[in-house]
Amino acid sequence: MEDVKEHVPDLMSTLDLPPGAISDTHRFLAPPYSDSYLTSYNMFVSLVLHVEFKTGEPLLLSEVAYLMAVKQTQSEVVDYGGRGIFDQTNDYCKKFHYFKTQESLGAVRNSLVNAGLDSAEVALVGTVVPRDSDEALTLFPSLQSKDIANIDIALNEINNQKDALG
């Protein structure tokens, strides 16, 4: 919570919130304020990230699915009643991931890194797996500054692996 309090004065100056709009917990807005204040506050809360998010690398959905499967086999996952967040996330990852082995995950990541994509683009493209560079450029405009030929080569390699896996 101290990390949040450090950033509040800097971020508050950029928002259109009246003084005292954010409570001591930095989570609740006093009721008399309009929806525009709530929207501004929600934007503010989303800007304040935990320390791990500042130093971590984005993962492909397939990498998340792999890590969750490893975690599930290593230890008992604590469930605090009902259907836990871990189970829901695990089900989602199992449903939508393409690459199931460490080798295929490594090959996908290496292909995209070698194509010149940054870490966020690697995670996005490796999760969505567009069919060709036209689809990738439509979905991810930041790729327009990259070498399209290298992206096409990487996408061909990735789609061949995806098709081979069924």
Side-chain angles (χ1 to χ4, degrees):
M1 192 54 127
E2 287 301 313
D3 193 34
V4 172
K5 290 180 183 176
E6 288 176 20
H7 300 289
V8 169
D10 300 332
L11 295 173
M12 285 298 294
S13 64
T14 64
L15 299 176
D16 185 26
L17 293 174
I22 297 182
S23 69
D24 292 337
T25 61
H26 303 286
R27 292 178 187 240
F28 301 105
L29 201 58
Y33 299 110
S34 68
D35 287 345
S36 65
Y37 285 118
L38 290 174
T39 302
S40 296
Y41 176 71
N42 289 336
M43 289 170 48
F44 162 75
V45 170
S46 69
L47 293 174
V48 181
L49 300 175
H50 199 273
V51 174
E52 283 81 9
F53 287 105
K54 295 176 185 173
T55 59
E57 287 290 320
L59 298 173
L60 282 70
L61 186 66
S62 297
E63 291 172 324
V64 174
Y66 178 80
L67 292 172
M68 292 187 83
V70 168
K71 178 69 175 168
Q72 200 168 27
T73 59
Q74 284 180 349
S75 64
E76 185 65 32
V77 178
V78 177
D79 188 9
Y80 296 102
R83 188 149 183 259
I85 297 294
F86 182 90
D87 291 335
Q88 292 174 11
T89 305
N90 197 20
D91 289 347
Y92 179 87
C93 290
K94 285 179 183 176
K95 183 176 182 179
F96 293 109
H97 79 288
Y98 294 113
F99 311 105
K100 297 173 177 45
T101 65
Q102 279 185 301
E103 294 79 23
S104 62
L105 288 170
V108 168
R109 184 168 281 282
N110 287 336
S111 294
L112 294 171
V113 168
N114 291 339
L117 277 62
D118 65 31
S119 60
E121 292 166 338
V122 168
L124 290 168
V125 173
T127 294
V128 175
V129 191
R131 277 281 166 206
D132 55 27
S133 60
D134 290 335
E135 184 179 0
L137 291 171
T138 302
L139 293 171
F140 312 112
S142 67
L143 297 178
Q144 292 174 355
S145 64
K146 311 292 183 191
D147 184 4
I148 304 304
N150 288 340
I151 293 172
D152 262 332
I153 293 169
L155 288 174
N156 285 337
E157 292 172 8
I158 292 168
N159 280 302
N160 288 340
Q161 282 194 10
K162 179 181 150 188
D163 293 339
L165 294 173

